[in-house]
Amino acid sequence: MTRGVFAQRTFTMSKTYTTQGIILRRRDYHENDRLFYIYTKELGKIEFLAKGTKKITSKLNSSLEPFYLVNLMIAKGKIFDKLANVNVVKSYENIRSDKDLVGFFLINYLGEILDNLIVGQTPQNKKYDLLLELLDILNDEIGRSRENKKEFFLMLANIYALKVLNLLGYRPEIQRCLVCHKAILLTKNIFDFSRGGVICEDCKKVCLIEDYIKVSDRVIKILQLAETKDLKNFLDMKIGPAEIDEFNKVIQRLLLVNMEKPLKSQEFYKIAP
Ligand SMILES: [Zn+2]
């Protein structure tokens, strides 16, 4: 399997492995080194030590930016696996250089969500493919002028987040009322975060529900579409600014319920809890 630049290395296959993934985050380690956390398709979230990368002179740093798609060769280690070689497959330059900083925010936001939700080393297949699909869409679209740009792209990221929650088994109930199990008729419904789904008007009157917000018919429809439609289908859908805001609030509160810590990057949008 050794090929290209990897072939120059002298590691034996039994002590190294190659993989491809998206760089989620890094943290400093000791005086000169950094630990990197990578989202991969086959192995889930992996970490490795990259020697010398805390120094600005390190040549590796130009290949290890957050949300680069990279090919990696990693040497197994006793305490930490170590980076043996890296090359960049895609750098998603348009997202990173977006002058409105929306791209920068989205990278942080998605990084936090995945770092939080993906635990352990299990194959990711669909979740990973969806992330690459989202990044390609963002890279193609973020430079175009669009009304409510920030909120719109946050909605796309949140549709992805909802798909990830579903794939992880945290699917909220949005087709039927959580209490009476009748199909949701689009009237005055609420989203109950402690139970994780929609409750109809009749049941709301008789239940003790504390952690909820009202959801409009349109937003229930968007929630339902987000489960079944591909991300690209939302690019040309007519969705008003109030509905986008409402949808984003539902997903971000839903994420909070399913995560151990609040999202720091959320502050960029100053969304009320
Ligand atoms: Zn009901």
Side-chain angles (χ1 to χ4, degrees), residues 23 26 30 45 47 121 133 159 188 216 221:
I23 299 173
R26 65 186 182 201
H30 289 167
K45 192 166 73 179
E47 69 171 34
Q121 300 197 343
E133 190 185 321
I159 291 169
K188 291 176 185 166
S216 64
K221 192 73 204 159

Side-chain angles (χ1 to χ4, degrees), residues 177 180 200 203:
C177 168
C180 68
C200 74
C203 293

Side-chain angles (χ1 to χ4, degrees), residues 176-184 189 198-204 206-207:
R176 294 180 169 275
C177 168
L178 272 172
V179 179
C180 68
H181 307 296
K182 288 180 190 155
I184 287 291
N189 301 290
V198 177
I199 291 181
C200 74
E201 193 180 11
D202 292 341
C203 293
K204 192 210 165 221
V206 294
C207 290

